[in-house]
């Protein structure tokens, strides 16, 4: 069916084969189509009005990336080749990009043991950077794009405080379900009320970055996909997926490369907000299941939330991104090296704060604070007692809402 749609949407396409294409199975039907000339196309067909609006928005976003902007990015973006109305909704056909998506575990493996390139590089060519470095550079470049790119396309732009208030609103909505452990609701509310975490300069962010939207080809970053949520907002949104990495050094490497590539260094609490967003994503998943009336989705989310609550209790994590009990403040004038250890992060090298990132940030607009907040910062961690810090819902765990 999708192959026929591709033929109708793009003149001259004569499909001869189809293959799978990872996507959100609750919202889309997708596939890769190969035509008689050997060209490949990605087809995405929405299953509901909301998904259709997301595709329309993505089309608008991709148009905002002019050839000059695309040339600045160290990765490719898909291009819309055509579209056609199908069952009252619009299906889009994109030019297919090489490579494939990888699981978090496979991303980590290819970071240390990448697949060799198809063609031997020139002897004078610089060695290819590890995958984590490539991702950090890509995010740094993306977050350094001018805000006008988003605002001229009439896409959302939020201040740091608006980001916090929007998440508070979502928290209130999640609480009304009565299905989320109270300890998690209080944990997230405390983090949202801690205004020191929310003093940052907003950036152009992807908004839905996770492993299913990252295409890799033989150890090289090829593209970011899924551009329906591009906006100006909290850069931590594009780092929350890294919380699922079993090896924290992968995320550390991404952040280090990011701090070098970005025009402005990241704020000191970016990691903590990334952990908060990773935890809260489970509540958003539950709310989505409730709104759509999918019991299996709700039950899955409840199981993951229960696991998270157990991990929080087991690790005595007082806040997202904090690995254990907060150490008592050292007496004024005391040697910092005599402070209690345990959950206290290792003192970083000069020029970095406790998160391992360069300190200081300056904002572009009047809505941004323009300065790095004061107070202790913490690194990585998060409540975990298994190889993955937070249970995750993948597209393979979703259901067709029409079933």
């Amino acid at each position: 069916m999708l192959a026929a749609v591709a033929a109708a949407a793009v003149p001259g396409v004569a499909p001869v084969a189809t293959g799978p294409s990872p996507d959100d199975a609750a919202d889309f039907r997708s596939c890769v189509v190969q035509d008689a000339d050997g060209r490949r196309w990605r087809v995405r067909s929405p299953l509901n009005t909301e998904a259709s609006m997301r595709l329309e928005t993505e089309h608008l976003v991709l148009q905002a990336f002019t050839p000059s902007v695309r040339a600045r990015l160290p990765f490719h973006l898909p291009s819309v080749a055509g579209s056609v109305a199908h069952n009252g909704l619009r299906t889009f056909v994109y030019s297919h990009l090489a490579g494939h998506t990888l699981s978090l575990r496979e991303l980590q493996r290819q970071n240390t043991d990448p697949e060799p390139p198809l063609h031997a590089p020139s002897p004078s060519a610089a060695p290819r950077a590890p995958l984590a470095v490539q991702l950090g550079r890509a995010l740094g470049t993306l977050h350094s794009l001018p805000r006008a790119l988003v605002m001229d396309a009439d896409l959302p732009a939020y201040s740091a405080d608006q980001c916090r208030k929007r998440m508070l609103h979502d928290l209130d909505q999640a609480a009304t379900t009565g299905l989320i452990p109270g300890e998690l609701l209080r944990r997230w509310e405390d983090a949202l009320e801690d205004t020191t975490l929310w003093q940052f300069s907003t950036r152009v962010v992807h908004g839905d970055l996770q492993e299913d939207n990252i295409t890799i080809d033989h150890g090289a970053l090829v593209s970011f996909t899924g551009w329906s949520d591009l906006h100006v907002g909290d850069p931590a949104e594009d780092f929350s997926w890294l919380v699922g990495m079993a090896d924290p050094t992968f995320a550390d490497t991404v952040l280090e490369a990011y701090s070098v590539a970005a025009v402005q260094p990241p704020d000191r609490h970016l990691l903590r907000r990334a952990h908060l967003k990773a935890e809260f994503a489970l509540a958003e998943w539950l709310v989505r299941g409730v709104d759509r009336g999918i019991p299996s989705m709700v039950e899955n989310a409840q199981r993951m939330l229960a696991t998270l609550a157990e991990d929080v209790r087991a690790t005595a994590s007082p806040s997202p991104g904090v690995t254990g009990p907060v150490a008592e403040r050292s007496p004024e004038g005391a040697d910092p090296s005599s402070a209690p250890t345990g959950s206290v992060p290792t003192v970083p090298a000069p020029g970095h704060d406790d998160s391992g990132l360069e300190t200081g940030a300056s904002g572009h607009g009047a809505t941004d604070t323009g300065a790095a907040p004061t107070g202790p910062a913490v690194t990585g961690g998060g409540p975990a007692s298994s190889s993955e810090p937070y249970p995750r819902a993948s597209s393979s765990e979703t259901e067709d809402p029409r079933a």
Side-chain angles (χ1 to χ4, degrees):
M1 182 194 72
L2 294 180
V5 169
V10 184
V13 170
V16 297
T18 61
S21 177
D23 213 326
D24 184 348
D27 283 334
F28 302 99
R29 285 290 177 264
S30 302
C31 77
V32 174
V33 174
Q34 181 172 317
D35 65 17
D37 295 327
R39 298 174 299 178
R40 294 188 175 188
W41 312 88
R42 187 188 186 203
V43 186
R44 300 187 77 195
S45 181
L47 297 176
N48 51 64
T49 303
E50 179 186 349
S52 181
M53 291 178 61
R54 286 171 58 189
L55 288 186
E56 296 282 0
T57 301
E58 182 178 47
H59 186 202
L60 179 66
V61 169
L62 293 175
Q63 287 181 318
F65 283 99
T66 63
S68 60
V69 173
R70 289 175 181 246
R72 295 169 54 184
L73 300 173
F75 54 86
H76 297 292
L77 288 91
S79 298
V80 175
S83 65
V84 65
H86 178 62
N87 292 335
L89 305 175
R90 186 158 293 275
T91 295
F92 285 84
V93 180
Y94 304 80
S95 56
H96 179 66
L97 298 171
H100 49 276
T101 59
L102 303 176
S103 65
L104 294 180
R105 182 173 300 177
E106 186 63 16
L107 281 171
Q108 292 175 160
R109 189 193 68 78
Q110 289 217 21
N111 184 57
T112 55
D113 185 24
E115 294 181 7
L118 287 175
H119 305 287
S122 169
S124 60
R128 185 174 60 194
L131 190 53
V133 173
Q134 296 178 53
L135 287 166
R137 291 172 178 172
L139 283 173
T141 304
L142 172 62
H143 289 184
S144 298
L145 290 176
R147 299 162 191 242
L149 172 76
V150 171
M151 303 179 77
D152 290 349
D154 201 24
L155 296 170
Y158 306 105
S159 68
D161 190 54
Q162 286 174 327
C163 291
R164 185 182 71 87
K165 289 180 178 178
R166 292 179 72 240
M167 199 168 179
L168 270 172
H169 175 270
D170 292 342
L171 178 63
D172 290 340
Q173 183 182 9
T176 61
T177 66
L179 302 175
I180 300 175
E183 59 195 294
L184 293 182
L185 293 174
R186 290 188 295 272
R187 172 185 176 85
W188 298 332
E189 184 177 16
D190 289 345
L192 287 166
E193 295 294 348
D194 184 358
T195 56
T196 62
L197 300 183
W198 301 90
Q199 299 175 25
F200 58 87
S201 174
T202 56
R203 314 284 175 89
V204 174
V205 297
H206 180 283
D208 187 30
L209 195 64
Q210 32 89 10
E211 65 272 19
D212 287 343
N213 286 333
I214 299 173
T215 305
I216 308 296
D217 187 29
H218 290 83
L221 172 64
V222 174
S223 66
F224 287 161
T225 59
W227 289 93
S228 59
D229 292 320
L230 185 77
H231 64 280
V232 173
D234 186 354
E237 292 185 42
D238 287 348
F239 286 87
S240 61
W241 66 282
L242 290 169
V243 172
M245 289 291 183
D247 181 8
T249 60
F250 186 98
D252 292 341
T253 304
V254 171
L255 288 167
E256 182 179 357
Y258 173 87
S259 66
V260 174
V263 170
Q264 295 177 316
D267 69 279
R268 65 183 307 181
H269 293 303
L270 182 146
L271 279 177
R272 289 189 63 182
R273 295 195 309 279
H275 277 268
L276 171 63
K277 292 174 185 298
E279 291 186 16
F280 190 66
L282 302 182
E284 293 175 320
W285 185 251
L286 183 142
V287 171
R288 185 180 177 189
V290 170
D291 289 344
R292 298 192 177 189
I294 306 177
S296 61
M297 194 171 172
V298 174
E299 293 170 4
N300 185 28
Q302 285 186 278
R303 286 195 300 269
M304 293 188 291
L305 286 163
T307 299
L308 174 60
E310 291 174 2
D311 288 344
V312 167
R313 290 191 294 269
T315 59
S317 170
S319 181
V322 182
T323 58
V326 176
E328 297 180 2
R329 184 181 300 274
S330 300
E332 186 174 356
D335 182 358
S337 64
S338 65
T341 58
S343 64
V344 180
T346 303
V347 178
H352 293 70
D353 66 9
D354 295 344
S355 66
L357 307 179
E358 295 181 7
T359 55
S362 58
H364 290 299
T367 58
D368 296 322
T369 62
T374 59
V378 296
T379 65
S385 58
S386 60
S387 60
E388 291 197 3
Y390 301 102
R392 296 166 54 83
S394 65
S395 59
S396 63
E397 294 172 320
T398 61
E399 283 193 3
D400 183 350
R402 302 176 303 175

